[in-house]
């Protein structure tokens, strides 16, 4: 735990008899546009937030209800304050942006109760140019060593007239839902964070959390006083968290923007996490094929039998496909014991240490190693965490002994079995489990793609071996189950939490076994729209091989970006983003629209001066239609520079993708 006081900071100590009962302190962002007002009034601490004079968060309460204890947050006095400013630049190993600036002003407010027990805690506030964050810190005290959190009282007292894009919490499908636009005054049932809101005054807020460890995930709902309030995911006994002190809560984060696309490059969540404590230079992002979509379209099965997908023969053939298509990884699902029958029964006995009879791990691993292709082994736990944890270390050791350094974990099921109890994925014990796998994986130099995950709170800054996660409704739902506006909402909501394994790249769009309702050009755009440190080429390799000109984009598009420049966006309508490859410094642009066709004019001012680029443009044609004619695509190649305005047509449910290669 990191509860230390660095005495070099500016500290204001009020002295024994000078503790303050009332105070108001303003903390400004470095550019002085955002103001956070923290005050102590009648023994309680409150905060409020303004941007350029406009009140965005009205006086909001802080504190905790603890079991067997009086409320922590009342009868307070301020005993000291500690300030600091930080302005630094750090580098991501893998990400949307290579260099990230971390610039904020901080004040820690040290509070003590005026009661016999004199319990102490502090609240650390940071104000960035892009928003406000704060967290609670409770040190161990002689008569206060362990707490049980019944409720976190944190409020986000925003104007109720705003509109939010919500997905409800506590659902069996976890985060896998289409987003709905919802009036804030109707958020009576808990919703997940990040919660993105357009205020009545046309500002954009995203309320989320950073550095979630050993605590329940924060959801939000209106309190009985009609104030948006934290609602921590409970454990099966109804409590929110059992904690040994010291405790640092996750950061409560309010991202603030004048335009929605500014939110998409807000880096507060990563900045509020700590740098890695170990060397992660072994982490390598990659693109991968998978023994996967063939299961979704019914050609193969996860379970053993005549149509079993993960056989030695299929895996070896797919490894050859990786070489032929120039893809560096291969995901294998259904390779271990547990899929035949056990899966549907709940996976209580799934075995992660032994392959099924028709999958010879050593043989496949030997070929993968010879061809230089990375294997990605799936660990589908079906939410049976107790069963998985019993095997976790040996399962990772087994894979590494076969040269496998990538694992896709999975936790299907409405809840998880942890310590013999059914618990929410997002409860404190769920969070602890995900953390255990991340740390164990790091020990074995294993990189993770987590499906049915805990939401992203930026911990990949500290553990860069988390290359991606699911945590939203992905393409596997298709067959009409994804709203056409989904991809135009995600960049402003789910994507604020980091990498997403959306599983893009379905080219066989008209397959009646699983229709995918987009145009082909849109499938290419997803590689730029949805950042993922492990990016799937989700369709079957034969399908790619048959359209080499279109596939060329997938071959070239990188997964690790130097710079990200959002160009256009309206939540639920359209989104266009440009990103630069870290290695070649070529630029890529992706654009998507909702159910409405539209034309966009793209200004290329972000390109370098005096450089000509060869533009490879993949776009919908005039007759392209996601229902009847999804495969029609126009591919154009021409020389352009930064002075050009690109005029692009997006069909309904369509999109475009552009590669701008330096030179001509
Ligand atoms: C759901 C995951 O999202 C998907 O990728 C996986 O194939 C299935 N579960 C089976 O584990």
């Amino acid at each position: 735990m990191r509860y230390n006081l660095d005495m070099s900071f500016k500290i204001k100590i009020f002295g024994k008899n000078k503790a303050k009962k009332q105070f108001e302190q303003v903390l400004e962002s470095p550019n002085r546009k955002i103001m956070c007002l923290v005050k102590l009034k009648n023994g309680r601490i409150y905060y409020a937030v303004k941007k350029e004079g406009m009140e965005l968060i009205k006086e909001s309460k802080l504190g905790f209800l603890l079991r067997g204890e009086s409320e922590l947050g009342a009868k307070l006095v301020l005993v000291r304050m500690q300030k600091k400013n930080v302005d630094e630049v750090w580098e991501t190993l893998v990400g949307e942006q290579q260099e990230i600036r971390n610039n904020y002003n901080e004040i820690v407010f040290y509070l003590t109760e005026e009661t016999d027990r004199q319990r102490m805690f502090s609240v650390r506030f940071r104000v960035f140019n892009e928003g406000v964050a704060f967290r609670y810190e409770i040190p161990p005290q002689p008569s206060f060593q362990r707490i049980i959190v019944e409720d976190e009282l944190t409020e986000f007292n925003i104007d109720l007239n705003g509109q939010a894009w919500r997905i409800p919490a506590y659902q069996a499908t976890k985060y896998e839902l289409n987003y709905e636009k919802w009036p804030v005054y109707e958020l009576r049932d808990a919703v997940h964070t990040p919660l993105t809101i357009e205020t009545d005054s046309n500002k954009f807020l995203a309320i989320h959390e950073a550095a979630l460890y050993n605590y329940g995930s924060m959801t939000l709902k209106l309190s009985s006083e009609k104030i948006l309030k934290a609602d921590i995911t409970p454990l099966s006994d109804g409590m929110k968290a059992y904690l040994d002190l010291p405790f640092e809560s996750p950061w409560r984060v309010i991202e603030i923007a004048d335009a929605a696309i500014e939110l998409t490059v807000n880096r507060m969540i990563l900045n509020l996490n700590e740098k890695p404590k170990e060397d992660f230079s072994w982490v390598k992002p990659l693109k991968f094929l998978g023994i996967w979509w063939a299961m979704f379209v019914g050609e193969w099965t996860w379970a053993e039998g005549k149509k079993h997908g993960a056989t030695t023969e299929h895996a070896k053939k797919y490894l050859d496909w990786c070489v032929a298509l120039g893809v560096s990884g291969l995901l294998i699902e259904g390779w271990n014991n547990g899929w035949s029958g056990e899966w549907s029964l709940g996976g209580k006995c799934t075995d992660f240490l032994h392959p099924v009879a028709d999958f010879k791990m050593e043989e496949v691993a030997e070929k993968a190693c010879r061809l230089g292709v990375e294997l990605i082994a799936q660990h589908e736990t079906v939410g049976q965490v107790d069963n998985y944890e019993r095997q976790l270390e040996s399962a990772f050791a087994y894979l590494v002994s076969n040269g496998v350094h990538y694992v896709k974990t999975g936790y299907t099921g409405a809840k998880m079995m942890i310590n013999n109890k059914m618990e929410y994925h997002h409860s404190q014990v769920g969070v602890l489990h995900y953390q255990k796998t991340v740390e164990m994986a790091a020990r074995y130099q294993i990189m993770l793609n987590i499906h049915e995950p805990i939401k992203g709170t930026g911990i990949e800054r500290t553990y860069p071996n988390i290359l991606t996660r699911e945590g939203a409704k992905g393409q596997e739902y298709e067959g009409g189950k994804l709203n056409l506006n989904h991809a135009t909402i995600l960049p402003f909501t789910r994507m604020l939490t980091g990498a997403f394994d959306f599983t893009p790249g379905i080219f066989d769009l008209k397959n009646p076994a699983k229709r995918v309702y987009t145009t082909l050009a849109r499938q290419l755009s997803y590689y730029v729209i949805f950042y993922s440190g492990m990016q799937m080429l989700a369709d079957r390799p034969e399908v790619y091989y048959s359209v080499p000109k279109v596939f060329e984009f997938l071959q070239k598009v990188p997964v690790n970006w130097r710079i990200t420049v959002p160009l256009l966006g309206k939540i639920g309508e359209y989104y266009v983003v440009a990103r630069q490859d870290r290695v070649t410094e070529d630029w890529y642009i992706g654009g998507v629209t909702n159910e409405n066709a539209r034309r966009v004019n793209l200004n290329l001012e972000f390109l370098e001066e005096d450089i000509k680029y060869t533009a490879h443009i993949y776009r919908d044609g005039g007759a392209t239609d996601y229902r009847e004619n999804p495969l029609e695509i126009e591919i154009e190649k021409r020389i352009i520079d930064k002075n050009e305005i690109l005029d692009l047509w997006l069909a309904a449910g369509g999109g475009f993708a552009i590669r701008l290669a330096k030179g001509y």
Side-chain angles (χ1 to χ4, degrees):
M1 202 43 83
R2 302 170 294 265
Y3 194 87
N4 61 345
L5 299 181
D6 184 336
M7 296 315 250
S8 65
F9 299 152
K10 235 168 141 184
I11 301 180
K12 212 166 176 177
I13 303 181
F14 301 119
K16 206 161 187 286
N17 301 316
K18 292 201 187 129
K20 297 204 173 194
K21 292 197 174 187
Q22 310 281 335
F23 81 96
E24 279 196 13
Q25 174 72 42
V26 170
L27 179 56
E28 286 184 328
S29 57
N31 67 5
R32 312 194 67 186
K33 289 189 177 173
I34 296 179
M35 269 179 44
C36 178
L37 173 71
V38 180
K39 65 164 118 169
L40 194 67
K41 200 175 72 178
N42 304 327
R44 289 189 170 280
I45 179 164
Y46 298 88
Y47 77 99
V49 178
K50 283 186 184 173
K51 177 156 191 202
E52 292 169 302
M54 184 184 290
E55 190 161 57
L56 296 172
I57 309 253
K58 286 172 274 180
E59 193 170 285
S60 299
K61 198 158 113 183
L62 299 171
F64 294 95
L65 283 189
L66 303 178
R67 186 167 198 189
E69 299 253 357
S70 57
E71 181 185 329
L72 189 65
K75 301 186 182 155
L76 299 174
V77 292
L78 180 75
V79 286
R80 66 185 165 143
M81 281 193 314
Q82 182 176 306
K83 295 186 185 181
K84 75 169 176 180
N85 333 87
V86 168
D87 192 0
E88 63 186 10
V89 174
W90 58 279
E91 267 199 39
T92 58
L93 208 58
V94 184
E96 296 181 83
Q97 189 79 22
Q98 188 160 3
E99 289 190 343
I100 294 189
R101 184 171 178 195
N102 186 21
N103 183 202
Y104 60 84
N105 293 328
E106 175 182 284
I107 303 187
V108 193
F109 297 89
Y110 291 87
L111 302 153
T112 300
E113 271 176 355
E114 275 197 323
T115 61
D116 291 347
R117 291 184 65 210
Q118 297 193 323
R119 294 176 306 176
M120 299 183 293
F121 72 101
S122 46
V123 190
R124 184 179 299 264
F125 277 88
R126 287 187 182 166
V127 183
F128 298 72
N129 292 339
E130 304 81 22
V132 174
F134 58 88
R135 77 169 180 212
Y136 302 93
E137 299 174 350
I138 315 178
Q141 297 151 57
S143 64
F144 195 44
Q145 306 270 341
R146 187 146 207 266
I147 57 174
I148 304 172
V149 178
E150 264 186 22
D151 194 13
E152 184 182 316
L153 303 175
T154 309
E155 292 175 341
F156 303 90
N157 191 356
I158 56 171
D159 190 296
L160 298 185
N161 292 315
Q163 295 287 326
W165 281 266
R166 68 142 210 186
I167 48 171
Y170 307 127
Q171 307 296 306
T173 43
K174 299 161 289 288
Y175 304 107
E176 299 173 11
L177 293 145
N178 283 307
Y179 282 80
E180 297 162 298
K181 196 169 176 183
W182 207 258
V184 174
Y185 61 79
E186 297 235 325
L187 292 176
R188 281 182 292 266
D189 296 323
V191 295
H192 281 302
T193 75
L195 181 69
T196 299
I197 298 150
E198 181 171 4
T199 69
D200 214 18
S201 47
N202 300 108
K203 295 274 184 228
F204 291 85
L205 306 177
I207 303 176
H208 189 41
E209 60 184 317
L212 169 59
Y213 294 102
N214 191 18
Y215 197 67
S217 161
M218 178 175 74
T219 72
L220 298 169
K221 72 175 187 191
L222 291 179
S223 64
S224 47
E225 289 107 50
K226 289 233 165 294
I227 295 176
L228 198 65
K229 177 187 163 298
D231 178 54
I232 306 303
T233 306
L235 293 156
S236 52
D237 65 2
M239 294 300 111
K240 306 298 169 78
Y242 287 78
L243 301 163
D244 287 320
L245 302 181
F247 168 62
E248 288 175 351
S249 76
W251 290 95
R252 283 27 193 133
V253 184
I254 304 140
E255 300 182 1
I256 302 171
D258 296 325
I261 55 169
E262 277 175 35
L263 289 178
T264 66
V265 282
N266 187 310
R267 306 288 174 220
M268 286 174 68
I269 299 296
L270 285 175
N271 276 330
L272 289 161
N273 278 273
E274 297 195 355
K275 53 180 183 253
K277 292 180 194 65
E278 308 148 37
D279 171 39
F280 280 92
S281 55
W282 46 271
V283 166
K284 299 272 178 292
L286 88 178
K287 284 184 283 191
F288 61 102
L289 289 174
I291 295 191
W292 191 72
W293 192 247
M295 272 90 101
F296 284 88
V297 291
E299 288 170 8
W300 290 346
T301 58
W302 279 276
E304 286 171 275
K306 273 204 214 105
K307 290 190 352 182
H308 184 212
T311 63
T312 309
E313 193 197 331
H314 289 158
K316 286 167 111 180
K317 206 156 142 204
Y318 264 48
L319 284 170
D320 289 331
W321 275 119
C322 286
V323 176
L325 295 170
V327 180
S328 45
L330 174 64
L331 164 70
I332 303 182
E333 296 204 358
W335 64 273
N336 62 320
N337 283 314
W339 288 93
S340 305
E342 245 321 293
W343 190 28
S344 49
L345 291 176
K348 282 202 185 89
C349 310
T350 304
D351 172 355
F352 300 96
L353 300 172
H354 300 97
V356 287
D358 57 356
F359 184 80
K360 304 275 177 264
M361 178 62 97
E362 287 79 9
E363 214 176 306
V364 175
E366 184 277 324
K367 179 161 180 174
C369 177
R370 192 156 31 83
L371 297 180
V373 177
E374 299 287 350
L375 291 180
I376 302 149
Q378 194 205 20
H379 280 172
E380 174 54 78
T381 67
V382 200
Q384 294 295 340
V385 166
D386 290 339
N387 175 53
Y388 187 41
E389 285 202 0
R390 277 194 289 273
Q391 302 174 62
L392 188 64
E393 179 151 19
S394 0
F396 283 172
Y398 166 73
L399 291 177
V400 168
S401 73
N402 281 291
V404 181
H405 285 276
Y406 292 83
V407 174
K408 171 179 168 181
T409 52
Y411 299 89
T412 55
K415 289 198 176 176
M416 286 173 154
M417 180 67 86
I418 306 181
N419 302 329
N420 244 344
K421 294 185 195 115
M422 292 307 278
E423 304 279 3
Y424 283 117
H425 288 58
H426 317 306
S427 63
Q428 181 189 18
V429 286
V431 170
L432 282 168
H433 166 69
Y434 289 111
Q435 189 55 24
K436 189 170 184 173
T437 60
V438 169
E439 288 176 23
M440 184 72 79
R443 227 188 291 157
Y444 282 85
Q445 299 205 342
I446 282 178
M447 289 152 274
L448 293 174
N449 172 358
I450 312 162
H451 274 232
E452 298 83 31
I454 181 66
K455 69 190 175 189
T457 58
I459 65 166
E460 61 274 25
R461 177 175 181 191
T462 318
Y463 298 95
N465 62 318
I466 308 170
L467 278 175
T468 193
R469 62 181 91 211
E470 193 185 34
K473 199 166 187 176
Q475 186 144 255
E476 66 192 38
Y477 273 88
E478 259 296 10
K481 294 207 180 93
L482 288 186
N483 288 347
L484 280 168
N485 66 13
H486 193 53
T488 66
I489 298 176
L490 290 173
F492 305 93
T493 53
R494 160 65 180 81
M495 296 312 296
L496 307 186
T497 73
F500 174 29
D501 186 20
F502 179 71
T503 63
I506 301 299
F507 281 15
D508 183 16
L509 296 167
K510 291 172 87 173
N511 191 330
K514 192 118 177 153
R515 280 292 309 256
V516 173
Y517 289 98
T518 74
T519 69
L520 186 53
R522 182 190 183 97
Q523 289 292 325
L524 305 188
S525 78
Y526 288 155
Y527 289 85
V528 195
I529 300 288
F530 298 128
Y531 160 68
S532 185
M534 282 172 78
Q535 195 64 281
M536 190 167 198
L537 276 53
D539 215 328
R540 293 140 301 157
E542 315 79 276
V543 175
Y544 294 134
Y545 200 68
S546 64
V547 282
K549 282 206 182 124
V550 187
F551 184 69
E552 196 187 354
F553 183 84
L554 265 51
Q555 228 171 15
K556 300 276 185 196
V557 68
V559 290
N560 201 9
W561 304 102
R562 199 168 87 85
I563 306 172
T564 290
V565 185
L567 298 177
L568 300 170
K570 189 150 193 234
I571 310 179
E573 298 195 19
Y574 55 91
Y575 176 62
V576 181
V577 62
R579 303 190 200 256
Q580 190 180 32
D581 181 7
R582 280 195 197 189
V583 181
T584 61
E585 300 196 355
D586 290 347
W587 283 89
Y588 290 78
I589 310 176
V592 279
T593 179
N594 56 7
E595 60 283 0
N596 298 320
R598 70 184 78 232
R599 185 171 289 290
V600 297
N601 286 316
L602 276 194
N603 187 320
L604 301 178
E605 265 175 353
F606 60 88
L607 293 175
E608 277 177 64
E609 208 69 63
D610 300 326
I611 292 199
K612 296 274 183 212
Y613 293 84
T614 306
H616 302 258
I617 304 171
Y618 304 78
R619 62 173 159 215
D620 301 325
T624 310
D625 178 83
Y626 73 91
R627 283 156 301 222
E628 305 300 329
N629 189 23
L631 297 172
E632 185 181 296
I633 189 166
E634 283 181 3
I635 304 178
E636 189 193 347
K637 186 173 158 188
R638 67 186 162 95
I639 311 303
I640 60 169
D641 61 26
K642 69 176 291 177
N643 301 314
E644 188 134 355
I645 304 277
L646 280 182
D647 178 6
L648 294 154
W649 169 251
L650 293 84
F656 65 85
I658 303 173
R659 174 163 71 93
L660 296 170
K662 265 189 175 171
Y664 53 93

